[in-house]
């Protein structure tokens, strides 16, 4: 058992929040509260840039409705896809829609990560402001766990402190601090703050991954 970095009460709050949206919208894109589909597609493009190889194995933590997998299928990107989520309704729906992929109800801070993958992706997962947990420490542990269980890369998007409005329910990360944390984990780090306003993506690559010259 991994020592929890994320308080169980914070987990329950997040699950309830999504279940309330599901009660209103069903297991649809609207229940994810991820902005427009165009913004979501742009995130997928950025995360896909971290993939290497002809058929990468991918784990998406906080997979929601597996829209990233849907994006990859639409763009004929071959892969082996697995998804974790903490919301049972999303896991059940994904198992129904994508029977060829693997989905599990799993919290990495309590249950760990079950295997090693080429790439691990977290999209819109760390946005909630926790009441009993330290967002920065949760984020750092998520990066560490993901990097420990990958061969190629980790790709995580977050809300940026460079904003003109703040929602009190959400947490905004200083990109510079996230970059410094990431550099303590990996030597190859990409910070993307160029693809849309108020959001950024941090990508960590293993030395052994394609494209690195010592």
């Amino acid at each position: 058992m991994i020592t929890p970095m994320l308080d169980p009460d914070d987990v329950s709050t997040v699950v309830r929040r999504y279940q309330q949206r599901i009660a209103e919208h069903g297991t649809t894109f609207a229940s994810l509260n991820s902005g427009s589909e165009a913004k979501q597609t742009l995130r997928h493009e950025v995360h896909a840039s971290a993939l290497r190889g002809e058929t990468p194995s991918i784990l998406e933590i906080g997979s929601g409705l597996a829209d990233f997998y849907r994006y990859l299928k639409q763009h004929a990107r071959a892969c082996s896809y697995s998804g974790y989520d903490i919301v049972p309704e999303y896991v059940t729906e994904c198992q129904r829609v994508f029977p060829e992929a693997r989905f599990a109800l799993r919290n990495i801070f309590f249950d760990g990560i079950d295997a090693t993958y080429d790439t691990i992706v977290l999209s819109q997962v760390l946005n909630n402001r926790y009441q009993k947990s330290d967002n920065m420490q949760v984020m750092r542990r998520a990066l560490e766990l993901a990097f420990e269980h990958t061969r190629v890369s980790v790709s995580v998007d977050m809300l940026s402190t460079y904003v003109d409005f703040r929602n009190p329910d959400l947490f905004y990360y200083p990109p510079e601090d996230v970059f410094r944390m990431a550099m303590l984990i990996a030597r190859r780090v990409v910070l993307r703050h160029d693809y849309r306003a108020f959001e950024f993506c941090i990508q960590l690559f293993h030395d052994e991954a394609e494209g690195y010259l010592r």
Side-chain angles (χ1 to χ4, degrees):
M1 173 72 73
I2 294 174
T3 301
M5 181 67 65
L6 183 56
D7 190 281
D9 287 346
D10 286 323
V11 176
S12 297
T13 298
V14 172
V15 172
R16 283 197 303 271
R17 187 172 295 164
Y18 280 105
Q19 288 177 330
Q20 287 169 357
R21 293 173 187 153
I22 290 170
E24 181 178 357
H25 302 287
T27 48
T28 64
F29 180 77
S31 71
L32 297 171
N33 197 34
S34 294
S36 69
E37 293 190 18
K39 291 176 181 177
Q40 187 79 317
T41 297
L42 193 52
R43 293 184 192 108
H44 296 335
E45 290 176 2
V46 173
H47 289 304
S49 71
L51 301 179
R52 300 289 185 272
E54 293 185 3
T55 311
S57 60
I58 301 167
L59 170 64
E60 185 173 13
I61 297 171
S63 50
L65 293 171
D67 288 323
F68 181 51
Y69 181 50
R70 190 189 309 274
Y71 167 88
L72 295 174
K73 286 170 65 72
Q74 289 171 346
H75 288 78
R77 185 65 164 95
C79 69
S80 170
Y81 179 92
S82 299
Y84 293 167
D85 209 283
I86 60 173
V87 181
E89 290 86 347
Y90 288 147
V91 174
T92 299
E93 178 67 5
C94 287
Q95 290 170 334
R96 183 187 69 81
V97 176
F98 301 112
E100 75 281 6
R102 187 173 68 95
F103 297 93
L105 185 67
R106 195 175 183 101
N107 181 327
I108 64 169
F109 298 105
F110 292 85
D111 307 315
I113 296 173
D114 68 341
T116 298
Y117 300 85
D118 290 323
T119 295
I120 292 180
V121 170
L122 290 86
S123 183
Q124 301 286 281
V125 175
L126 302 172
N127 289 355
N128 290 282
R129 177 179 290 277
Y130 304 125
Q131 298 302 311
K132 296 187 176 181
S133 309
D134 184 316
N135 275 82
M136 292 296 289
Q137 291 305 312
V138 170
M139 177 273 297
R140 177 172 179 167
R141 187 59 186 143
L143 292 181
E144 290 172 342
L145 278 170
F147 198 71
E148 290 167 7
H149 288 83
T150 50
R151 288 178 288 265
V152 174
S153 59
V154 175
S155 188
V156 184
D157 63 55
M158 305 176 207
L159 296 173
S160 172
T161 50
Y162 290 88
V163 295
D164 55 12
F165 169 79
R166 295 199 185 202
N167 183 325
D169 293 329
L170 303 178
F171 190 86
Y172 300 82
Y173 296 82
E176 302 90 342
D177 292 349
V178 174
F179 181 81
R180 279 192 289 269
M181 283 187 176
M183 287 297 296
L184 296 174
I185 301 168
R187 296 195 294 182
R188 300 177 63 188
V189 177
V190 174
L191 174 64
R192 292 283 307 269
H193 209 305
D194 64 319
Y195 60 97
R196 67 171 303 253
F198 318 136
E199 188 175 309
F200 68 98
C201 182
I202 196 83
Q203 296 179 329
L204 289 68
F205 289 85
H206 287 266
D207 288 357
E208 296 77 14
E210 172 188 330
Y212 186 57
L213 188 63
R214 292 176 184 269

